[in-house]
Amino acid sequence: MQTEPRLPATDESEAQEFLELLEGAPFTAPYTGQVVDWLIRDSTVHAPDASPAARAVDALWRYADGHDLGAGEIAERVRDVAHAMSLVADEHYAADPSPRRPRPVHGRSVRKLCVAACRRRSLAGPGRTVVIAQGTHGHTVYRPVAPSVPPDRAGETLRHEVLTVLAAHVHLADRRTFQGSGVVVECRHESVEVTWWYPDLEAEPDHHHPAWSTGGVRLLCSALLRGEGMKVTVQPNGALLVTR
């Protein structure tokens, strides 16, 4: 039989979350929550060290192993919490089924759902997914995902990638010092625009400059960026629009 993991007594941050999850767990008997609260307060009041949460978790495990008031239900709930913390290891998840562009669900929220569902209905799926069964109503799969990047930051990240690719092969314009013409890279929300610029204080980027449109610079930039797996399209104004 697989045993539920116990938290190390020195892991104070995980122990604190353990207590928060346990306090929010569903208890059948009305007095069980009061017993849990008493155990936590009693163990932390007399804690001589700097790890009161870890000491409280240890006290709850010891109580769950006994036969005192509410010990049986506390044993079930602490095992549910330990199971949830072992099962949900990623920081962000996406629910499936879900809307087409779901907002990421924080791992702590998924752990709360697992505790509420109990360990018998929160299961490990393939690829670190978490499956929560809802009885006759089906189930929800939580897939680990990378945290979403705000649009402005996403554009800046892509711009930096584009500059890194092009810098070794083409001359980049310096719009701060107005020294010489060259390729300019600008953010367009989540995409990036690449075009030609020359040092005229009143000028906008020249999408149809001969060096850019017919001299091979645009073609070279496009080939370099496509070679790095980026999507490149030529806009009606002659500039390149780069996306991921």
Side-chain angles (χ1 to χ4, degrees):
M1 178 182 296
Q2 183 178 1
T3 59
E4 293 82 1
R6 297 199 181 189
L7 296 175
T10 56
D11 196 341
E12 186 68 5
S13 62
E14 287 192 8
Q16 184 62 48
E17 183 180 356
F18 189 103
L19 297 179
E20 292 172 1
L21 290 171
L22 181 62
E23 290 176 318
F27 294 109
T28 303
Y31 55 78
T32 307
Q34 297 176 5
V35 174
V36 168
D37 182 65
W38 175 80
L39 287 168
I40 293 173
R41 286 188 290 106
D42 183 69
S43 62
T44 54
V45 165
H46 303 290
D49 52 38
S51 302
R55 177 180 286 268
V57 170
D58 189 56
L60 285 161
W61 278 112
R62 290 197 306 271
Y63 191 90
D65 288 337
H67 303 282
D68 291 322
L69 181 67
E73 187 173 15
I74 291 174
E76 287 295 309
R77 297 292 82 79
V78 294
R79 286 175 171 82
D80 287 342
V81 172
H83 171 76
M85 295 191 70
S86 176
L87 177 65
V88 184
D90 290 274
E91 288 299 316
H92 296 87
Y93 291 81
D96 185 20
S98 65
R100 180 172 296 181
R101 293 179 63 85
R103 298 182 64 179
V105 182
H106 198 279
R108 182 184 291 261
S109 298
V110 179
R111 286 189 281 274
K112 289 181 179 179
L113 293 172
C114 289
V115 172
C118 83
R119 63 189 183 279
R120 295 176 182 83
R121 294 195 292 117
S122 53
L123 312 170
R128 306 197 323 277
T129 59
V130 177
V131 182
I132 299 181
Q134 284 115 17
T136 58
H137 301 288
H139 62 273
T140 302
V141 178
Y142 291 90
R143 296 176 290 100
V145 295
S148 60
V149 180
D152 291 343
R153 182 180 168 189
E156 282 296 335
T157 300
L158 180 58
R159 178 177 179 272
H160 178 74
E161 294 176 6
V162 170
L163 286 171
T164 301
V165 172
L166 298 182
H169 304 279
V170 301
H171 178 72
L172 299 175
D174 187 348
R175 299 185 68 171
R176 295 170 300 177
T177 61
F178 299 95
Q179 298 297 316
S181 57
V183 173
V184 65
V185 180
E186 296 182 322
C187 289
R188 293 289 184 266
H189 300 293
E190 296 185 24
S191 59
V192 166
E193 187 179 78
V194 181
T195 188
W196 187 268
W197 181 85
Y198 60 92
D200 183 337
L201 289 174
E202 302 298 328
E204 291 296 321
D206 190 349
H207 308 293
H208 301 288
H209 191 281
W212 172 251
S213 58
T214 60
V217 177
R218 182 173 64 191
L219 186 62
L220 175 61
C221 291
S222 178
L224 290 169
L225 296 173
R226 290 177 190 274
E228 294 297 322
M230 302 180 193
K231 299 177 182 178
V232 182
T233 57
V234 179
Q235 300 183 94
N237 61 10
L240 296 178
L241 185 68
V242 185
T243 58
R244 273 293 188 187

